[in-house]
Amino acid sequence: LRIYLQPDGSLARPPEVVDRLRMSMPGEENFRTAAESAIRAVQKCEPLQNLPPDKYQRWRDIELKFDPRNMLGG
């Protein structure tokens, strides 16, 4: 996911799936489900806290990589 943040840690716009094409491909239902869950998780966690204001240029645009295998102990 790519997220864009405001200086207060809130989302500047909705999270974007980096591999958007994969979202609509046949046989990628698990990817789509995981991506949608990741989007909801990021939205639920906003605003992100404890981000150093003086480093806003570094964290205003972040790419997060989710690997469901890590969540399942694989």
Side-chain angles (χ1 to χ4, degrees):
L1 290 182
R2 181 165 297 283
I3 62 171
Y4 301 91
L5 299 168
Q6 298 284 354
D8 67 356
S10 64
L11 293 171
R13 57 187 190 215
E16 298 174 358
V17 176
V18 175
D19 193 353
R20 283 179 250 160
L21 179 60
R22 192 171 171 191
M23 291 285 286
S24 60
M25 293 175 65
E28 293 293 345
E29 292 79 14
N30 290 338
F31 176 83
R32 186 170 39 258
T33 300
E36 290 168 351
S37 292
I39 289 170
R40 285 191 300 274
V42 167
Q43 290 171 327
K44 189 173 183 176
C45 291
E46 86 163 305
L48 300 181
Q49 299 181 12
N50 300 320
L51 297 168
D54 59 320
K55 294 191 167 110
Y56 176 64
Q57 295 301 316
R58 294 186 69 194
W59 55 259
R60 68 179 180 171
D61 175 1
I62 302 172
E63 185 173 318
L64 302 171
K65 295 184 182 193
F66 289 89
D67 186 342
R69 294 174 293 190
N70 293 337
M71 294 179 228
L72 302 173

